[in-house]
Amino acid sequence: MDKTIQEVLDCYKMCVETKMYCLEKGGKHADPKHIQALADCAESCKMAADFMIKKSPLHGKVCGVSAEACKRCAQSCEVMEDDEMMQKCAEMCRKCEESCMKMSSM
Amino acid sequence: MDKTIQEVLDCYKMCVETKMYCLEKGGKHADPKHIQALADCAESCKMAADFMIKKSPLHGKVCGVSAEACKRCAQSCEVMEDDEMMQKCAEMCRKCEESCMKMSSM
Amino acid sequence: MDKTIQEVLDCYKMCVETKMYCLEKGGKHADPKHIQALADCAESCKMAADFMIKKSPLHGKVCGVSAEACKRCAQSCEVMEDDEMMQKCAEMCRKCEESCMKMSSM
Amino acid sequence: MDKTIQEVLDCYKMCVETKMYCLEKGGKHADPKHIQALADCAESCKMAADFMIKKSPLHGKVCGVSAEACKRCAQSCEVMEDDEMMQKCAEMCRKCEESCMKMSSM
């Protein structure tokens, strides 16, 4: 579990940083749906960390939400193939999605 | 949706206040599982409000989590039949559970 | 205090909604500094509510932060004189700033 | 700044874990004022992380709040001299207080 907690915290940090980068870049990077995907992923990863740290009986359900949010965020980032920052964010979200999926089915 | 947003915010407020009351009271009121049920309900209601306000495509999933958290919190409060504060909190959680359930299946 | 709690929750809600509106609008509305002012105000109002609801001895300090965040957000909104939504948000932030100031000096 | 971000996230994690431990232990460990000190520290460190990650102009002020919360939490933990967990939490809070102080005066 400790590994997953650090992973969701890293993913949360990455998504907040990516969101700031995208707002600065503007254009398709600042598309409301893309910004929302990043914000949703950041928020739900933060909450998943919280519920895992306090060993809540609901942590599996919250990880289910963050897995879904990670998937959507990765998809939204992967579209921008030519942007290294987006590819890095997508990669982290995919890894985090997998860990959250495992946690949600336990 | 606006009605449900106010309901989850009210439920969040109620659960935080009830948690403080229970910590003050001590004894069975301060049982870690009961405190956790109240904290989980407060946290997930706050997050449900957040996702509904920003009209996130994930708001249904988050409301699913808060519906479950509300149910567990209500059950944990209902056990203490002789405490008016617990009954009031349970009542609000039941109402909020119902609204969140509807939101989660939409 | 109850009045101020509802006020910061209303201001939080307003700022999240305004942020979504601004991201949709694009252009100067989606300026990263403006989006950040709205996000900072929303976040700190949410935290001020939290600390007031649980009667934390630190609620005054947190209200000091939200007063500052409200002021900056109001200034950022007031610039766009021709947009009714911005004026409405600025107005609420000014009212909330005043209430948070009072709370922070108590 | 990156070092401080990891420090406040570690302190947040530590305080949530310590809070769960204290609720389990009961007695003076579950004293409402002590639980609140731990919760306030966790919350404000989480928010300080958030404002630093997004490079908000308000991150200094938020770090000022978390420095104060860390100090109060450390003091509340240090009283229980015979409990290793409390001493470990106090130590981390003191380190975090110092980093947040530096950040708040920059």
Side-chain angles (χ1 to χ4, degrees):
Chain A
M1 184 124 96
D2 267 349
K3 206 180 130 272
T4 310
I5 292 171
Q6 195 53 53
E7 238 167 43
V8 290
L9 285 177
D10 287 344
C11 189
Y12 149 65
K13 201 167 154 247
M14 171 61 107
C15 288
V16 175
E17 284 167 356
T18 307
K19 197 179 69 175
M20 300 320 282
Y21 166 84
C22 288
L23 287 170
E24 287 289 345
K25 272 230 138 179
K28 64 179 178 175
H29 282 83
D31 181 273
K33 284 199 176 58
H34 182 54
I35 297 295
Q36 186 159 57
L38 287 159
D40 283 359
C41 191
E43 265 317 296
S44 51
C45 281
K46 193 163 64 168
M47 189 161 168
D50 209 71
F51 276 63
M52 283 191 280
I53 294 170
K54 59 185 185 185
K55 293 185 177 52
S56 160
L58 282 170
H59 79 267
K61 280 197 189 297
V62 180
C63 284
V65 175
S66 57
E68 175 75 18
C70 284
K71 193 182 72 182
R72 284 164 178 267
C73 188
Q75 288 170 340
S76 189
C77 289
E78 281 158 3
V79 174
M80 292 177 250
E81 290 172 351
D82 51 336
D83 187 321
E84 215 182 320
M85 182 88 174
M86 292 304 115
Q87 295 312 306
K88 226 178 103 191
C89 187
E91 217 176 292
M92 183 164 281
C93 289
R94 286 293 180 196
K95 221 180 78 183
C96 192
E97 178 197 353
E98 210 184 318
S99 302
C100 287
M101 276 297 285
K102 270 180 208 153
M103 210 45 95
S104 79
S105 60
M106 274 188 341
Chain B
M1 186 124 95
D2 266 350
K3 205 181 130 271
T4 310
I5 291 171
Q6 196 52 53
E7 235 167 45
V8 290
L9 285 176
D10 287 344
C11 189
Y12 149 65
K13 200 168 155 246
M14 171 61 106
C15 287
V16 175
E17 284 168 353
T18 307
K19 197 178 72 175
M20 301 319 283
Y21 165 85
C22 288
L23 287 169
E24 286 290 344
K25 272 228 137 180
K28 63 179 178 175
H29 281 82
D31 180 274
K33 286 199 176 58
H34 181 55
I35 298 296
Q36 188 159 57
L38 287 159
D40 284 359
C41 190
E43 265 318 298
S44 51
C45 280
K46 194 165 63 169
M47 187 160 169
D50 209 69
F51 276 62
M52 283 189 282
I53 294 170
K54 60 187 184 185
K55 293 187 179 48
S56 160
L58 282 170
H59 79 266
K61 280 197 188 298
V62 180
C63 284
V65 175
S66 57
E68 176 73 19
C70 284
K71 191 181 74 182
R72 284 164 178 266
C73 189
Q75 287 170 341
S76 189
C77 289
E78 280 159 3
V79 174
M80 291 179 250
E81 291 172 352
D82 50 336
D83 188 320
E84 215 182 320
M85 182 89 174
M86 292 305 116
Q87 295 312 305
K88 226 177 102 188
C89 187
E91 216 176 294
M92 184 166 280
C93 289
R94 287 294 181 196
K95 223 179 76 181
C96 192
E97 179 198 353
E98 209 183 320
S99 302
C100 288
M101 276 297 284
K102 269 180 210 155
M103 210 45 96
S104 79
S105 59
M106 276 186 344
Chain C
M1 185 124 98
D2 266 351
K3 204 180 132 270
T4 310
I5 292 171
Q6 196 52 53
E7 236 166 43
V8 290
L9 285 176
D10 287 344
C11 189
Y12 149 66
K13 201 169 154 245
M14 170 61 105
C15 287
V16 175
E17 284 166 355
T18 307
K19 197 178 71 175
M20 302 319 284
Y21 166 85
C22 288
L23 287 169
E24 286 290 344
K25 271 228 138 179
K28 62 179 178 171
H29 282 82
D31 180 273
K33 283 198 179 58
H34 181 56
I35 297 295
Q36 188 160 54
L38 287 160
D40 284 358
C41 191
E43 265 318 298
S44 51
C45 281
K46 193 164 64 169
M47 188 160 167
D50 209 69
F51 276 62
M52 283 190 281
I53 295 170
K54 59 186 184 184
K55 293 184 179 51
S56 160
L58 283 169
H59 79 267
K61 280 196 188 300
V62 180
C63 284
V65 175
S66 56
E68 175 75 18
C70 283
K71 191 182 72 181
R72 284 163 179 268
C73 189
Q75 287 170 341
S76 189
C77 288
E78 280 158 4
V79 175
M80 291 178 249
E81 291 172 350
D82 51 334
D83 188 320
E84 215 184 323
M85 182 88 174
M86 293 303 116
Q87 295 313 306
K88 224 178 105 191
C89 187
E91 215 176 297
M92 185 166 280
C93 289
R94 287 292 180 197
K95 221 180 78 181
C96 191
E97 179 198 354
E98 208 183 320
S99 303
C100 288
M101 276 297 284
K102 270 180 209 155
M103 211 43 98
S104 78
S105 60
M106 279 191 336
Chain D
M1 184 123 98
D2 266 351
K3 205 182 129 268
T4 309
I5 292 171
Q6 196 53 54
E7 237 167 43
V8 290
L9 285 176
D10 287 344
C11 189
Y12 148 65
K13 200 168 155 245
M14 171 60 105
C15 287
V16 175
E17 282 167 356
T18 307
K19 197 178 72 174
M20 301 321 281
Y21 166 85
C22 288
L23 287 171
E24 287 289 345
K25 271 228 139 179
K28 62 179 178 173
H29 282 82
D31 180 273
K33 284 200 177 57
H34 181 55
I35 297 296
Q36 188 160 56
L38 288 159
D40 283 358
C41 190
E43 265 319 297
S44 52
C45 282
K46 195 165 63 170
M47 188 160 168
D50 209 70
F51 275 62
M52 283 189 282
I53 295 170
K54 60 187 183 185
K55 292 185 179 49
S56 160
L58 282 170
H59 79 267
K61 279 196 187 299
V62 180
C63 284
V65 174
S66 56
E68 175 75 18
C70 284
K71 192 181 72 180
R72 285 163 177 267
C73 188
Q75 288 170 340
S76 188
C77 288
E78 280 159 3
V79 174
M80 292 179 248
E81 291 171 350
D82 50 335
D83 188 319
E84 215 183 319
M85 183 88 175
M86 292 305 115
Q87 296 311 305
K88 225 177 103 191
C89 187
E91 217 176 293
M92 183 164 280
C93 289
R94 286 293 180 196
K95 223 180 76 183
C96 192
E97 179 198 352
E98 209 183 320
S99 303
C100 288
M101 276 297 285
K102 268 180 211 155
M103 211 44 98
S104 78
S105 59
M106 277 189 340

